[in-house]
Every structure is written in C-alpha cells, then in structure tokens.
Amino acid sequence: MTWEARTTYLSHMLYNYPAKTYALTAFICCLLLSGCGGAGGLLSAPKKWIGIEEDPQAPTALTNLGSESLRLKKLWSDSVGASEMMYSRLQPHIADGLVYLAGADNRVEAWQLIDGKRIWSVKLQETISGGVNGGEQILAVGTENGLVIALDLADGKEKWRTLLSSEVLALSQVRHGVIVARTSDSTIHALDIGDGSVAWRASRSSPPLTLMGASQPRVAGSVVLVGFDDGKLVAFSLLDGEERWRATVSFPSGRSELERIADIDGEIAFQDDEVYAANFNGRTVAVDMLTGRVKWARDLASHTGVGADESRVYVIGTNDGVWALDRTTGATLWRQDKLLYRSLTVPVPVGDYIVVGDYDGYLHWLSKKDGRLVGRHRVARDAIDSVPVIIGQRVCVLADNGSFTVLQQP
C-alpha cells in the first residue's frame, strides 16, 4: 500500500471510528515519521472512502428518486485532466463569462462558460498545488515549491511570480488590489496584484499533528477571514494585516494528539453581519463579523465546512449527514441521512435547493425546506472534492479526474 493510501485509509478510520483513535496513536505517528520524508505531522483529510470489504460503514446505496425528480440538463462537459497533486483542492475560477481551470501537466486554461470553447492554454513548469483564483485582471495559482504565479486573465501570459515561505495551499479572490495566499507553514501572505510584492504577513503556530490542506482565505469587506489548525478563526485587516478579532471555534481536547486535532480546513461562509465556520473534532459556530463574538455554537464537527443562505446554515457532519441549522439560533431545522459515508462536499445553495457532490461523481439536489432528496446527476466517474460553483441557475463542477461539467437547473 502506498504512503498516500495508508494515510488516507488511516484517517478514514480515525474519522469514522473515534473510539479507536487512542490505540492507533503510536502506530500512526510512527507511520507519519517514517513514511512522509520530511512532511511529518500531516494526516490526509478523510475525504475519500477506501473500498475495504469488511468496513461496516460503506457508502449508503442510492435509491430511485421517482418520476418527480428534477429534470437537470447538461449544457456541456470537457476535461482539463487530473492534477498531479493528489490532495490539492483546486477550484475553478469563474468570472465575466469565462471559466479558468488548472489540471494535467500543470496546465492552466480559460474556457467560455457558455459552450466550453477553449480561449487560451498555458503550461507551467512548476507543480500547481493551490488555486485557481483571481480578479481585477489577474489569475493566480500556487505551487508546491512556494510560488504564487499571476497570469493575465485575457491571454494567460505571466505577469509576475513571488516566492513565499512554503507550499501554497489556497488563494483568496482578489479584492482591493490584494490576493491572500495560505501556505503550509500556517502563514498568511497578502500580495499586491500589481507586482506581487508582499504587503503583509501573519502566522500562527501549528499543533504537532494536523490534517493536510487548509481552508481558503475569504475576503469579506475590509477583512480576510482565515481558519487555523488550532481551531481559531481570525479576521485580519486586508489593508495592513492587523488582527481585528480572534474567535475560538473549539478548543483542542483529548489525551492524544490525534484526539486534539481541531483544524478549520473547510469552507468558511458569511452572510450579512455573521461568519459561519466548523472544525474537525469540534463545533459549528456563528460569529459576529464586527466583534468576533461567538453568537451561537453547536457540537457539530465538520471537516468540509459550511454553506449559508438568508435563513439557514448547512453543514456536513462527521458521517456525511446533511444538517440545516437556523441562522439566528443554530437550532436544527432538518437532517438528511440518505447520503451517509459518501464523502460529500460542502452544500451550496441554488434557488430552492442545495447541491452537494460525492465520492462517486454524483451531484445531489436537496430541498432547502425539508432536506428531501429531489434530484441527482452523475457528472464524472471519479470523486468530486471541489465545491460546486453556482452561476444563476447553472451548476458548475470540477471532478478529481479533471472533468468539468455545466448543468442547467429548471
């Protein structure tokens, strides 16, 4: 079994069988120290189910939705090829009628959203590990060796590159002339999009053991929201990096380092004057955007993060149960358990529904009102780890094998 497979399987065991974590601690730490060639202390996020026959928690089988299921229309589909980075969280960037993607051979491409026509394609010499994101006439990707490379949105020509402290895991959208990069050493770097110069940096120390990956920095008004591996959600001033506030999603707890993993690695959502976040082994919280005060908290852990709309917060629980919480109080409105152990993406709202992707290439539509499953469409023969992107009534999704599909919802 390869190192990647070993860590994925073990993290799956830890995620679904928490009672066994203490007994496995020494064994896994030995594997981490002996097998990762200098990358000790990182566990792969438990996203993909490994097909072990004796596993009693296999993915829930899908049932027929009946004749009244949503009639979804596939507008087009194409492929950019699978990324070389097994655990990268590459997302499509969609702006002004174009979709920008990174995939096989470290190639970055721009396609027309309406029909998939390729506009330009650029092959980089570095291994892409983070992004794609951009705005204000630039497109940026992060690399395994710590570079942020900015390309011209119009033709893909390189505008600048900046070397940061370690592997680039995630990039924010561009706002106010700044793009924010998250690197694997828990450092946040704000870069001027004009020349790539570092405007400011901020960092926090990491616990001894963390999950691989990091949440995407989210820009909300004049602040950038960042989730850290110690369970803290921090708002930094986008202008100068000053810490505006710090909120605790949950405190690390337990006797072993494995039990104390509290990473905020999933999506952070905000709506009006509130921020919503969840962490591994921890809670889901609502935080006041101005003060950082925790307004409500639920003992509902998630490594995928949260989605939100005007009235609800949507969370994927530890066993892939889908929860809808009241935005004001955090009370449970409904729970859907027909997709358990299918390694779901964070839910995204679209019209009267929410959409999630799963480990087997399916997209599922759930009613916002009661969580009822109302639609399904298979877009790939591989897992969907990338969060679906909603453009009007169109649902755009990138699968792990590099296939990109645009569906039209009625």
Side-chain angles (χ1 to χ4, degrees):
M1 184 181 289
T2 65
W3 167 246
E4 289 83 6
R6 282 188 294 167
T7 53
T8 303
Y9 173 66
L10 288 169
S11 59
H12 165 76
M13 293 290 288
L14 292 172
Y15 194 73
N16 290 314
Y17 304 96
K20 297 180 181 180
T21 57
Y22 186 70
L24 285 171
T25 300
F27 172 60
I28 293 175
C29 288
C30 288
L31 281 176
L32 287 167
L33 293 173
S34 64
C36 39
L42 297 178
L43 281 176
S44 59
K47 283 294 293 175
K48 296 183 181 179
W49 178 79
I50 303 299
I52 307 297
E53 288 185 2
E54 63 268 26
D55 192 336
Q57 295 182 327
T60 301
L62 301 178
T63 58
N64 194 318
L65 297 181
S67 59
E68 296 185 1
S69 63
L70 284 177
R71 295 181 178 272
L72 303 163
K73 180 181 179 182
K74 184 171 79 171
L75 299 182
W76 60 270
S77 182
D78 206 334
S79 178
V80 73
S83 167
E84 295 179 13
M85 292 290 288
M86 182 176 181
Y87 296 112
S88 62
R89 294 183 180 178
L90 298 181
Q91 302 273 5
H93 174 64
I94 301 176
D96 300 324
L98 295 178
V99 53
Y100 302 90
L101 301 135
D105 300 322
N106 299 304
R107 189 170 294 279
V108 184
E109 299 189 343
W111 301 346
Q112 287 187 167
L113 182 59
I114 191 171
D115 57 10
K117 179 182 177 181
R118 192 170 276 98
I119 304 301
W120 55 257
S121 179
V122 173
K123 182 177 181 179
L124 302 179
Q125 299 304 310
E126 293 79 11
T127 300
I128 298 172
S129 59
V132 176
N133 225 327
E136 300 180 22
Q137 305 308 310
I138 74 148
L139 183 74
V141 296
T143 74
E144 187 180 23
N145 60 2
L147 287 170
V148 173
I149 301 175
L151 309 175
D152 192 296
L153 278 177
D155 55 18
K157 291 182 179 178
E158 184 173 322
K159 302 189 74 170
W160 50 260
R161 59 176 55 198
T162 299
L163 181 63
L164 302 181
S165 54
S166 60
E167 179 184 354
V168 179
L169 299 179
L171 294 165
S172 75
Q173 286 189 308
V174 174
R175 290 289 185 271
H176 310 297
V178 173
I179 188 167
V180 179
R182 168 75 181 269
T183 50
S184 60
D185 58 356
S186 290
T187 301
I188 308 302
H189 313 255
L191 308 180
D192 187 297
I193 65 167
D195 58 7
S197 60
V198 177
W200 54 265
R201 288 189 179 91
S203 62
R204 289 185 63 83
S205 59
S206 292
L209 193 62
T210 70
L211 298 177
M212 294 182 70
S215 61
Q216 180 188 40
R218 296 293 306 274
V219 178
S222 62
V223 301
V224 57
L225 304 166
V226 182
F228 286 97
D229 296 338
D230 59 358
K232 296 294 192 296
L233 176 67
V234 183
F236 297 99
S237 167
L238 192 60
L239 177 64
D240 57 15
E242 178 186 359
E243 186 176 308
R244 296 283 182 84
W245 51 258
R246 182 189 315 172
T248 299
V249 176
S250 73
F251 292 100
S253 62
R255 293 179 295 174
S256 72
E257 294 300 339
L258 290 171
E259 293 172 319
R260 293 175 60 81
I261 293 176
D263 297 39
I264 304 174
D265 275 359
E267 293 291 305
I268 299 166
F270 55 89
Q271 191 77 25
D272 301 326
D273 59 350
E274 288 186 344
V275 185
Y276 308 95
N279 69 330
F280 188 81
N281 284 336
R283 305 186 299 176
T284 298
V285 300
V287 179
D288 186 281
M289 179 79 81
L290 297 178
T291 66
R293 179 177 64 87
V294 175
K295 301 178 77 170
W296 56 257
R298 287 289 306 273
D299 288 328
L300 179 56
S302 175
H303 68 277
T304 59
V306 298
D309 61 18
E310 294 82 2
S311 58
R312 300 174 182 88
V313 177
Y314 306 100
V315 187
I316 302 298
T318 56
N319 62 358
D320 288 309
V322 186
W323 297 68
L325 310 180
D326 184 273
R327 264 192 62 199
T328 303
T329 65
T332 300
L333 299 176
W334 53 258
R335 178 181 175 182
Q336 174 57 264
D337 285 340
K338 291 185 178 180
L339 299 173
L340 297 183
Y341 306 107
R342 295 191 65 87
S343 293
L344 303 180
T345 65
V346 67
V348 291
V350 51
D352 295 328
Y353 313 101
I354 59 171
V355 179
V356 297
D358 76 10
Y359 83 102
D360 204 22
Y362 285 97
L363 286 176
H364 306 272
W365 273 254
L366 287 74
S367 167
K368 283 184 177 180
K369 181 179 180 181
D370 56 15
R372 180 171 50 93
L373 286 165
V374 296
R376 179 190 306 139
H377 192 100
R378 195 174 196 181
V379 299
R381 299 286 175 175
D382 201 357
I384 299 171
D385 285 327
S386 176
V387 180
V389 179
I390 309 302
I391 306 294
Q393 293 299 305
R394 295 178 179 177
V395 179
C396 311
V397 62
L398 177 67
D400 286 6
N401 63 3
S403 66
F404 181 80
T405 303
V406 180
L407 300 176
Q408 179 73 44
Q409 177 184 294

